[in-house]
Amino acid sequence: MPADAIRQVLAAKADAMVRRSAETLTALLHDDFIYVNAGGTRFDKLGYIETYCTSGKVVFHEQEIDDLLVGEFPGFAVATLTVRDRFNAGGREVLATYRSLCVFTDANGKWLWAAGQTMPTS
């Protein structure tokens, strides 16, 4: 069932960001990954890993996933979810809730995160 596999990828991604494991995060993202954050900044795979995992610009302490809905299509899946983040950025602690849309591709039986966009909740 893709919803279970997608939930596992999202949990592994959150864990990799908290542990700041670039190796784990790299394995979860498609090579052509593209992401737009809640501030409107666009990232490719390397930029995402650097910004959210290795640079120290953003240091995650926790990321919780809720309200996950997954739609499966031939070769890909689309997930919508609520993300509750606790991280440090620019010298301040941030506690925030976001809505996200994530696209996953089935790469020979392994789900990879291919694209995403996040927006603040109102």
Side-chain angles (χ1 to χ4, degrees), residues 24-103:
T24 301
L25 193 54
T26 297
L28 298 170
L29 303 182
H30 188 277
D31 286 342
D32 296 322
F33 176 79
I34 188 156
Y35 178 75
V36 178
N37 72 7
T41 302
R42 183 178 138 178
F43 298 91
D44 62 7
K45 182 175 181 173
L46 293 176
Y48 184 87
I49 292 167
E50 178 184 337
T51 299
Y52 293 104
C53 189
T54 61
S55 70
K57 294 176 189 175
V58 179
V59 177
F60 276 84
H61 302 291
E62 186 174 24
Q63 184 174 79
E64 295 180 8
I65 307 298
D66 199 11
D67 302 324
L68 177 65
L69 293 174
V70 177
E72 184 178 13
F73 302 87
F76 73 99
V78 176
T80 59
L81 55 140
T82 300
V83 182
R84 289 181 185 81
D85 285 341
R86 185 170 64 89
F87 61 89
N88 282 30
R92 63 184 179 88
E93 185 170 17
V94 177
L95 299 168
T97 302
Y98 302 99
R99 289 291 297 158
S100 287
L101 176 86
C102 300
V103 179

